[in-house]
Amino acid sequence: MRTLLALLLAATAWGGAAAQTPLDLPPADARGDVLLRGGTVHTVTNGTIENADVLVRDGTIAAVGQGLDAPRGVRVVDVAGRHVTPGIIDAHSHIALSSVNEATNAVVAEVQMRDALDPADVGIYRALAGGVTTIHTMHGSANPVGGENETIKLRWGTLDPDGMLFDGAPRTIKFALGENPTRVHGRGRGVRPATRMGVEQVYREAFTDARAYAAAQAEAEQAGRALPPYNRRLETLAAILAGDVLVHSHSYRADEILMLMEVFRDFGIDRLTFQHGNEAFKVAPELAAFGAGASVFSDWGSYKFEVYYSTAYNAAVLVRNGVRTSVNSDDAGLIRYLYHEAAKTQRYGDLSDDEALALVTINPAWQLGIDDRVGSIEVGKDADLAVFAEHPLSVYTRVDMTFVDGVPRFDRARDGDDQRVFVDPGDEIAEVLLGGHTESCMRGVALEDLAP
């Protein structure tokens, strides 16, 4: 009976009549077919095409141009007068997680956010309502070396965490500089790092241990001896040294940004993205020379002392200096308005439309190592698309539809009153107060660890 009801609801969906619920949506492995007809298409990498069509077959962009025909059985969506963009990508998020911080050691490279994914988090649906299709959901910033992050697609409706994984995305890990790790470990527990110089030493010792571990493994294998005891923490650190895990580091101050690049040079690591990077504009040429990326806030600053020297021109300065830059949310609410955050760079820095849109599409895709799959509207790429009522950088715009793999995971015309997969009225709402400012990257850290 439930199956019949689902089929009836799905049938009425094509006419846009029935409100949509998560249980109506196709499974995570579904791939859609659709023709978006007659809109303004912002490819990001190849300019803007007026009165254009985007044809999607089996979840992949099959053609982009004018006057395309819809193959038999392919749904046609009239987007005349509207704008089509690549799905928005958030390079720094903490939604879709049931845990964020494993704050029990300065180095916790052995833990993985994949083990804490929550596909029923209503934040996923709200992000889709903002045109977001891919997020980098991250470990928090309590540790100099945090756990592995996870790049996921927002396939709302699935209850299988593995169904959200971005297949083939490179492994990434969270590092953290500055006050958060020193406050949690030094002031909170009386262990290293208590200072910024202690943070650097944690990195150098961890990489030195990992290098020795990898060398011992190679030597034992070559000699035909039993391998050293398996150590998940050192395995992950050794994978960073080998270039198999990309580092994304929480950062604020310019001096610490320079410090971590120097550590990476010493250990031969050449891929690095700085998250937040409020003072990155001060060292933009150095970041460009290293080849580092920067994923920054549009205009956040002064919420604690180490971000006092912030500027809304940060992203524009970085872009003009050749740094691959993105704008992120780090917030379950702001993630719905990343297109507004990108638009601020036109007021503070006069970036072009394509440069501004790149901050939330192709640039974060590059930082996550998935730019061959998403981030622009190109034939052969995944059909992760957002349909805007007006220009995506207009303060008056809104998202009408969001497609993931060609499947409409958000449709404003069918937006129901309550999109939560499960509602438990007995759930408690935890209040977290961090010196007057709530940081989502510090979720799960005991308040006693944050004592001044």
Side-chain angles (χ1 to χ4, degrees):
M1 189 68 174
R2 179 168 172 245
T3 303
L4 176 60
L5 177 61
L7 288 172
L8 288 171
L9 287 172
T12 58
W14 300 113
Q20 180 174 275
T21 72
L23 295 180
D24 300 331
L25 289 165
D29 61 358
R31 301 294 180 265
D33 296 301
V34 67
L35 176 66
L36 303 180
R37 174 170 286 165
T40 299
V41 177
H42 302 263
T43 69
V44 175
T45 52
N46 293 305
T48 299
I49 310 172
E50 301 288 346
N51 191 29
D53 311 329
V54 180
L55 176 63
V56 174
R57 299 306 308 269
D58 195 26
T60 300
I61 298 172
V64 182
Q66 296 175 327
L68 301 181
D69 292 326
R72 184 184 298 273
V74 172
R75 179 190 181 189
V76 177
V77 177
D78 183 1
V79 293
R82 294 188 281 181
H83 295 252
V84 183
T85 73
I88 290 171
I89 300 169
D90 191 353
H92 190 132
S93 178
H94 300 287
I95 70 166
L97 292 175
S98 57
S99 303
V100 171
N101 277 289
E102 176 59 47
T104 54
N105 193 292
V107 180
V108 291
E110 65 272 23
V111 304
Q112 297 176 303
M113 306 318 292
R114 178 174 182 170
D115 297 328
L117 286 180
D118 177 12
D121 181 0
V122 70
I124 297 169
Y125 181 74
R126 292 170 179 166
L128 284 164
V132 180
T133 55
T134 297
I135 67 169
H136 187 217
T137 197
M138 306 181 77
H139 190 275
S141 56
N143 319 72
V145 179
E148 286 193 49
N149 313 306
E150 196 64 50
T151 301
I152 65 173
K153 287 202 179 193
L154 302 187
R155 299 185 179 111
W156 179 243
T158 182
L159 294 179
D160 177 12
D162 287 350
M164 304 191 71
L165 302 180
F166 195 120
D167 183 49
R171 294 164 62 191
T172 67
I173 193 168
K174 178 71 173 292
F175 279 28
L177 306 171
E179 289 181 14
N180 286 358
T182 60
R183 187 168 69 238
V184 170
H185 298 282
R187 280 180 284 168
R189 296 175 181 172
V191 298
R192 194 176 62 182
T195 63
R196 298 176 191 273
M197 60 185 176
V199 173
E200 177 178 357
Q201 194 58 26
V202 166
Y203 293 137
R204 293 190 176 277
E205 290 185 4
F207 284 139
T208 299
D209 290 345
R211 181 182 282 172
Y213 175 80
Q217 282 185 315
E219 183 181 347
E221 188 171 359
Q222 186 173 9
R225 301 193 306 267
L227 295 176
Y230 180 86
N231 185 306
R232 173 70 193 183
R233 180 180 297 175
L234 292 175
E235 287 280 344
T236 304
L237 290 166
I240 296 172
L241 292 172
D244 297 330
V245 178
L246 308 181
V247 175
H248 288 251
S249 182
H250 167 106
S251 60
Y252 290 125
R253 287 181 20 172
D255 54 351
E256 292 184 311
I257 290 172
L258 291 174
M259 174 273 287
L260 191 58
M261 287 193 291
E262 191 62 33
V263 170
F264 275 40
R265 284 193 185 94
D266 288 348
F267 285 91
I269 306 168
D270 59 8
R271 279 298 296 267
L272 173 61
T273 296
F274 288 96
Q275 296 287 337
H276 311 322
N278 289 53
E279 292 189 13
F281 67 96
K282 296 182 177 181
V283 289
E286 289 81 2
L287 286 164
F290 185 91
S295 184
V296 305
F297 296 132
S298 64
D299 55 1
W300 287 14
S302 298
Y303 51 85
K304 58 181 178 177
F305 189 72
E306 67 177 343
V307 296
Y308 183 82
Y309 293 103
S310 301
T311 174
Y313 288 91
N314 193 16
V317 170
L318 290 165
V319 169
R320 291 288 176 257
N321 279 272
V323 179
R324 293 294 288 263
T325 307
S326 67
V327 171
N328 66 60
S329 75
D330 192 20
D331 182 81
L334 195 65
I335 194 173
R336 295 178 290 164
Y337 305 106
L338 278 173
Y339 48 92
H340 285 162
E341 297 301 288
K344 291 175 182 178
T345 60
Q346 299 192 297
R347 167 63 179 84
Y348 300 101
D350 199 28
L351 295 190
S352 69
D353 285 358
D354 283 345
E355 287 174 325
L357 287 172
L359 297 174
V360 291
T361 55
I362 194 65
N363 287 359
W366 177 85
Q367 292 170 351
L368 301 178
I370 55 175
D371 52 312
D372 61 331
R373 294 269 304 278
V374 293
S376 61
I377 298 179
E378 299 181 55
V379 172
K381 285 197 171 185
D382 295 358
D384 294 356
L385 304 163
V387 178
F388 286 82
E390 299 185 46
H391 194 289
L393 298 173
S394 167
V395 72
Y396 300 107
T397 197
R398 69 181 188 186
V399 175
D400 285 342
M401 299 184 76
T402 304
F403 293 83
V404 180
D405 302 314
V407 176
R409 297 283 171 182
F410 169 78
D411 185 345
R412 183 173 295 277
R414 301 186 59 209
D415 184 27
D417 291 335
D418 193 339
Q419 284 286 333
R420 287 175 288 183
V421 177
F422 294 118
V423 181
D424 184 356
D427 277 353
E428 294 184 1
I429 300 175
E431 294 183 2
V432 182
L433 182 64
L434 306 175
H437 174 73
T438 299
E439 289 184 276
S440 58
C441 62
M442 292 299 283
R443 278 166 45 200
V445 179
L447 292 179
E448 56 267 25
D449 293 336
L450 304 176

